[in-house]
């Protein structure tokens, strides 16, 4: 997206939909991104790329991806009930199966699991953005440069870098309230950076704490505000430039998201009306959630006259602890186990991931008609997965002989080696062709241990194995009729790894990777005076061997490959600056994402809409900045988020339910003198009741739907924040 075209504009762009205001080069004013693993103008990237700047994040007081996702075209982020319980889809590549279809990076470090057994699809990284310089969202498969699980696209968190010459301090605080919440929330934040050795060695240190008050009451237990959220993050980074052209970076990052419960309400099947009224849940047991990520990463970059060399290393530990009330799935089924009545059930879910990655690459320095990149990548992942539903009386006492209903351990390892290359050749100053290829080999080992009353016998199956070889490619051309206009055509492929399957009689011991091919044409342009900018693309994606989940009964799901799908659509972002200080922004996406053939194991028919994908989505926003005094300026901003209706499952599936579309209005205002800034913000000003996702609960013995848990978008939230820079 192409709005902010000067360093000043990039810092001040305040409108929620100014997801275009990226890092700007101080001299040329170009928006600089690292989408193709090299720093370059966004206008030169022949693919769909959007940027959400720190100015945008601060203006709307974003604390999670759902706060800004609607302002990025074809980027759908759904919450399962809190920050950290997050599902992402791009360009209609729906969250089908257990593994993610969108890769996530922090700078040069990939985070999250590559396999199907670590909750990658439901627990995407939701980084508290205080120390984030910008988000880069790459739409369409990025398999050539970014590898496994980037078949839908890529979300990249680009962190702030310190100055090696000047010392700086940032600090701030926030107070806010949420409609129907009885307590005040808020947070504190601080960032210190600067030189340790002038011009040679610098550091950055930051800490942020954010508390979002609860607003869901419990009609069954009487508990108030049970869904409060606490987010904490800390970071320490060292940047070393011993000689010109050589940079060494080391970063340590920690973040923890902790919630008391989920932002969900139960709906009656059929009417889809709240069972107990507005903002009332009925969970019989507590539902705490905790996600922690610890990451250490390092990089060495050498800029030569002709060749640049890059080494990037990372080690990440991620843990997820989730407790869900299973009383309306397992508890209601107790009479079918011979018990006299229904009871309570707590479903405990514990995930752990230790991930090491190493990437080495060499690339041309950009001097001449030929640009190239070659590299090698390695990752090793060790993941754990524990699941167990309990059996309790209504008084919360374990039921002898039944509790736990089952207990399962699903440890796995994933090892991948890959080599890749990319080539861009300028035939003329205006016309360029490009292509890339990546070869990857992965090995997986998966073990399965389970006991429980619903199992005919204990399961002990260690060291089930699988391996795959996968090749992805990309290619295309771009034409620049002027220095500020580009037309491009691109074809690219991506994949999601397969792996070992649950050991169930009659089920294949492995499932294979699914893959897709993306075809797109696009135009990126801005006027020389930066008064108008447009970024638009049309795409068609063929998805085959889709990883589907099907049930073996008793709550056990296994993976199969089946069916094909097709997603096609258009996406656009337009910015108009009719006068100095006034920015008008609009985004639009139309996506038709359907099965291309029957999927009987998932109860899907040809032509069924894929789940969680709105046909239409978009945003409109406006911001106006004006000088108030010689030193102070003020800004007013407004943004309208628009999301069409979606389905919770494939159209023909028995548990498919329609999520209505919605429009939500955000407002913000600020005054600043460059050092001190005071902001007012309001999210969902009209207090619209809308749902981000559905979870259809059914009796595990009969299959009958008991209720639908709906995750709601955050009610009206109003706050004030203060920041100071020194």
């Amino acid at each position: 997206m192409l709005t902010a075209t000067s360093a000043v504009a990039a810092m001040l762009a305040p409108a929620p939909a100014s997801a275009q205001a990226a890092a700007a080069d101080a001299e040329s004013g170009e928006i600089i991104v690292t989408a193709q693993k090299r720093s370059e103008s966004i206008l030169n990237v022949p693919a769909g790329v959007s940027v959400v700047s720190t100015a945008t994040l601060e203006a709307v007081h974003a604390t999670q991806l759902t706060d800004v996702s609607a302002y990025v075209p074809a980027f759908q982020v759904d919450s399962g009930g809190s920050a950290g319980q997050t599902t992402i889809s791009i360009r209609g590549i729906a969250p089908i199966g257990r593994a993610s279809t969108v890769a996530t990076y922090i700078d040069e470090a990939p985070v999250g699991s590559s396999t199907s057994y670590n909750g990658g699809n439901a627990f995407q990284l939701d980084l508290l953005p205080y120390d984030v310089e910008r988000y880069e969202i790459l739409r369409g498969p990025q398999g050539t440069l970014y590898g496994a699980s980037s078949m839908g696209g890529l979300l990249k968190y680009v962190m702030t870098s310190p100055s090696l010459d000047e010392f700086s301090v940032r600090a701030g605080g926030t107070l806010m309230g949420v409609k129907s919440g009885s307590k005040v929330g808020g947070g504190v934040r601080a960032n210190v950076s600067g030189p340790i050795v002038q011009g040679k060695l610098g550091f950055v240190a930051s800490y942020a704490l954010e508390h979002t008050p609860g607003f869901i009451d419990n009609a069954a237990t009487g508990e108030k505000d049970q869904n409060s959220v606490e987010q904490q993050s800390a970071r320490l980074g060292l940047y070393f430039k011993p000689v010109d052209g050589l940079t060494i970076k080391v970063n340590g990052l920690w973040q923890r998201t902790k919630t008391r419960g989920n932002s969900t309400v139960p709906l009656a099947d059929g009417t889809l009306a709240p069972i107990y009224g507005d903002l009332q849940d009925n969970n019989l047991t507590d539902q705490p959630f905790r996600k922690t990520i610890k990451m250490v990463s390092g990089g060495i970059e050498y800029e030569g006259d002709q060749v640049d060399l890059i080494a990037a290393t990372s080690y990440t530990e991620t843990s997820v602890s989730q407790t869900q009330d299973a009383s309306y799935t397992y508890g209601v089924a107790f009479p079918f186990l011979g018990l006299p009545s229904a009871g309570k059930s707590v479903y405990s879910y514990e995930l752990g991931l230790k991930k090491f990655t190493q990437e080495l690459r060499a690339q041309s320095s950009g001097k001449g008609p030929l640009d190239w990149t070659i590299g090698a990548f390695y990752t090793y992942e060790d993941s754990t997965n524990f699941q167990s539903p309990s059996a309790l009386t209504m008084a919360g006492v374990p039921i002898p002989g039944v509790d736990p209903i089952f207990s399962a351990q699903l440890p796995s390892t994933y090892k991948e080696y890959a080599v890749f290359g990319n080539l861009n050749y300028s035939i003329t100053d205006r016309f360029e062709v490009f292509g890339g290829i990546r070869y990857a080999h992965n090995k997986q080992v998966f073990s399965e241990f389970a006991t429980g009353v619903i199992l005919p016998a204990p399961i002990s199956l260690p060291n089930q194995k699988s391996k795959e070889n996968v090749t992805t490619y990309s290619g295309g051309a771009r034409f620049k009729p002027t220095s500020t206009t580009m037309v491009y055509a691109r074809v690219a492929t991506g994949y999601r790894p397969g792996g070992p399957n649950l050991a169930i009689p009659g089920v294949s011991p492995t499932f294979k990777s699914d893959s897709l091919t993306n075809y797109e044409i696009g135009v990126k342009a801005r006027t020389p005076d930066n008064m108008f900018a447009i970024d638009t693309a049309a795409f068609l994606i063929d998805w085959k061997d889709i990883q589907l989940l099907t049930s073996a009964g008793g709550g056990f799901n296994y993976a199969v490959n089946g069916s094909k799908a097709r997603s096609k659509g258009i996406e656009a972002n337009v910015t108009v600056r009719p006068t100095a200080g006034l920015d008008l922004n609009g985004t639009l996406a139309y996506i038709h994402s359907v099965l291309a053939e029957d999927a009987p194991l998932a109860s899907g028919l040809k032509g069924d809409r894929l789940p969680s994908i709105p046909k239409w989505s978009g945003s409109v926003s406006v911001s106006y900045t004006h000088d108030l005094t010689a030193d102070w300026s003020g800004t007013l901003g407004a943004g309208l988020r628009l999301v069409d209706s979606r389905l919770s499952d494939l159209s023909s599936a028995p548990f498919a339910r329609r999520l209505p579309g919605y429009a939500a209005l955000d407002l913000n205002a600020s005054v600043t003198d460059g050092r001190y800034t005071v902001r007012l913000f309001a999210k969902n000003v009209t207090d619209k009741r809308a749902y981000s996702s559905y979870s259809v609960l059914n009796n595990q013995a009969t299959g009958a739907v008991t209720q639908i848990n709906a995750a709601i978008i955050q009610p009206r939230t109003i706050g004030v924040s203060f920041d100071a820079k020194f």
Side-chain angles (χ1 to χ4, degrees):
M1 300 180 182
L2 309 172
T3 52
T5 50
S6 71
V8 174
M11 290 187 291
L12 296 181
S18 62
Q20 311 83 348
D25 180 84
E27 294 183 1
S28 68
E30 293 286 354
I31 307 303
I32 305 301
V33 296
T34 56
Q36 298 191 112
K37 297 203 171 185
R38 61 170 70 226
S39 296
E40 60 186 330
S41 167
I42 196 172
L43 191 62
N44 293 330
V45 180
V49 183
S50 295
V51 176
V52 181
S53 72
T54 185
T56 298
L57 298 172
E58 291 174 353
V60 301
H61 190 67
T63 60
Q64 54 187 313
L65 285 171
T66 53
D67 288 332
V68 294
S69 60
Y71 295 113
V72 178
F75 182 55
Q76 181 68 29
V77 178
D78 294 321
S79 171
S82 73
Q85 300 184 62
T86 306
T87 299
I88 302 175
S89 56
I90 297 177
R91 283 187 174 175
I93 304 306
I96 299 175
R98 293 191 184 97
S100 174
T101 60
V102 176
T104 303
Y105 271 61
I106 300 176
D107 290 329
E108 292 276 348
V111 293
S113 175
S114 302
T115 73
S116 294
Y117 294 106
N118 204 257
N121 191 29
F123 302 115
Q124 293 268 24
L125 180 64
D126 214 344
L127 201 62
L128 189 64
Y130 178 61
D131 209 16
V132 176
E133 179 181 300
R134 65 186 185 271
Y135 302 158
E136 293 184 8
I137 298 100
L138 283 71
R139 298 186 294 276
Q142 307 297 323
T144 304
L145 287 176
Y146 292 96
S149 300
S150 62
M151 61 191 296
L154 176 79
L155 167 64
K156 189 173 188 179
Y157 294 92
V158 180
M159 308 302 290
T160 58
S161 298
S163 169
L164 298 182
D165 301 310
E166 296 182 359
F167 189 81
S168 66
V169 177
R170 287 190 299 145
T174 300
L175 291 175
M176 65 177 175
V178 181
K179 174 67 181 292
S180 298
S182 61
K183 297 181 180 179
V184 174
V188 293
R189 49 196 177 268
N191 176 289
V192 182
S193 68
I196 299 174
V197 177
Q198 193 74 19
K200 298 291 185 181
L201 177 64
F203 80 101
V204 57
S206 69
Y207 173 77
L209 168 66
E210 185 76 18
H211 175 78
T212 302
F215 51 86
I216 297 290
D217 296 336
N218 193 318
T221 66
E223 186 175 359
K224 302 294 184 182
D225 303 332
Q226 67 174 12
N227 64 313
S228 60
V229 180
E230 180 187 277
Q231 297 166 275
Q232 291 188 77
S233 69
R235 177 182 170 225
L236 178 63
L238 293 175
Y239 289 64
F240 183 38
K241 281 193 171 184
V243 296
D244 289 343
L246 178 62
T247 304
I248 301 172
K249 304 177 182 179
V250 179
N251 271 292
L253 182 145
W254 172 84
Q255 175 166 307
R256 184 182 69 189
T257 299
K258 183 172 64 173
T259 74
R260 289 178 54 211
N262 294 324
S263 305
T264 57
V265 296
L267 308 181
D269 196 25
T271 64
L272 297 179
I275 297 175
Y276 297 96
D278 189 35
L279 302 178
Q280 298 285 321
D281 205 347
N282 67 338
N283 50 291
L284 301 180
T285 66
D286 291 338
Q287 301 187 100
F289 170 80
R290 181 191 295 252
K291 181 175 181 179
T292 303
I293 179 170
K294 305 172 185 176
M295 185 183 77
V296 177
S297 62
I300 301 175
E301 302 177 9
Y302 174 73
E303 297 180 8
D305 291 337
Q306 300 296 326
V307 177
D308 298 337
L309 302 175
I310 299 96
T313 307
S314 70
Y315 175 76
T316 307
E317 291 187 3
T318 307
S319 63
V320 173
S321 175
Q322 183 184 48
T323 300
Q324 292 281 17
D325 178 23
S327 303
Y328 299 100
T329 54
Y330 285 100
V332 294
F334 288 173
F336 296 90
L337 296 176
L339 299 176
S341 62
K344 297 180 181 179
S345 180
V346 176
Y347 202 117
S348 298
Y349 196 44
E350 305 283 343
L351 299 174
L353 174 66
K354 297 178 180 179
K355 179 169 183 166
F356 171 81
T357 70
Q358 178 66 63
E359 180 168 298
L360 302 171
R361 67 179 187 272
Q363 57 192 39
S364 60
S365 58
K367 301 174 182 177
L370 183 65
D371 278 338
W372 53 266
T373 299
I374 57 172
F377 174 81
Y378 168 77
T379 185
Y380 177 80
E381 302 175 13
D382 186 353
S383 65
T384 57
N385 181 323
F386 169 79
Q387 303 178 46
S388 181
S390 66
L392 311 173
T393 67
M394 281 297 182
V397 178
I399 301 174
V402 182
D403 180 56
I405 299 171
F406 70 83
S407 179
Q409 296 271 6
L410 306 173
S412 64
T413 61
Y414 177 90
K415 187 183 296 183
E416 179 187 323
Y417 307 86
V419 292
F420 60 91
N422 223 45
L423 188 69
N424 297 45
Y425 181 68
S426 298
I427 298 175
T428 70
D429 290 342
R430 299 181 183 274
F431 185 69
E432 178 182 274
V433 294
F434 56 87
I437 192 167
R438 186 185 189 103
Y439 170 80
H441 172 74
N442 71 67
K443 296 180 180 179
Q444 298 184 55
V445 179
F446 169 71
S447 299
E448 187 178 351
F449 307 101
T451 60
V453 66
I454 65 174
L455 298 175
I459 298 173
S460 179
L461 295 170
N463 300 330
Q464 303 170 73
K465 298 179 180 180
S466 74
K467 59 183 179 179
E468 281 186 312
N469 300 314
V470 181
T471 301
T472 54
Y473 64 87
S474 64
R478 69 180 185 190
F479 174 62
K480 297 189 71 172
T482 71
S483 61
T484 58
T485 304
M486 179 184 68
V487 180
Y488 70 90
R490 175 177 181 258
V491 58
T493 63
Y495 78 102
R496 179 171 52 171
N501 219 339
L502 287 179
I504 297 173
V507 173
S508 172
T510 62
F511 58 96
K512 63 182 181 178
S513 60
D514 52 355
S515 61
L516 52 75
T517 304
N518 171 86
Y519 309 90
E520 70 180 282
I521 56 174
V523 176
K524 299 182 181 186
R526 60 179 172 87
T527 57
D529 59 5
N530 302 314
M531 300 296 286
F532 175 83
I534 185 170
D535 182 350
T536 184
F539 61 87
L540 185 150
I541 302 174
D542 286 324
W543 187 5
K544 66 178 183 179
D545 297 323
I546 302 174
Q547 293 176 14
L548 303 170
L549 291 180
T550 189
S551 176
F556 294 98
N557 295 322
Y558 63 93
V560 295
N561 292 101
S563 188
K564 298 178 181 178
R566 170 166 285 187
S567 182
K568 57 184 178 181
I570 57 172
E571 60 197 29
N573 189 100
V574 176
T575 299
V576 180
R577 287 181 165 176
T579 187
L582 179 62
D583 281 11
L584 305 173
N585 299 281
T587 66
L588 177 70
Y590 168 78
I591 301 174
H592 184 64
S593 186
V594 298
L595 286 178
E597 63 182 29
D598 292 348
L601 291 176
S603 302
L605 300 176
K606 181 179 180 180
D608 276 359
R609 283 180 60 187
L610 300 189
S612 303
I613 306 300
K615 276 191 175 181
W616 292 95
S617 61
S619 66
V620 179
S621 71
V622 58
S623 71
Y624 180 65
T625 300
H626 193 271
D627 290 338
L628 302 177
T629 68
D631 298 321
W632 290 81
S633 64
T635 297
L636 295 175
L640 182 66
R641 298 173 270 153
L642 304 165
V643 179
D644 199 3
S645 63
R646 293 154 289 144
L647 294 171
S648 63
D649 205 338
L650 296 169
S651 302
S652 299
F655 296 141
R657 301 295 186 271
R658 179 179 174 273
L659 288 84
Y662 66 90
L665 177 66
D666 303 320
L667 300 175
N668 66 87
S670 66
V671 292
T672 183
D673 68 348
R675 170 170 287 188
Y676 302 106
T677 302
V678 179
R679 288 188 180 86
L680 298 174
F681 59 88
K683 308 176 189 179
N684 191 8
V685 174
T686 62
D687 199 31
K688 176 68 177 179
R689 290 293 175 271
Y691 304 119
S692 179
S693 65
Y694 283 166
S695 177
V696 181
L697 307 186
N698 61 292
N699 186 311
Q700 289 296 300
T702 67
V705 175
T706 54
Q707 66 183 39
I708 297 170
N709 280 0
I712 71 169
I713 68 170
Q714 191 163 304
R716 180 169 56 240
T717 301
I718 298 176
V720 58
S721 69
F722 172 80
D723 287 277
K725 299 178 182 180
F726 303 96

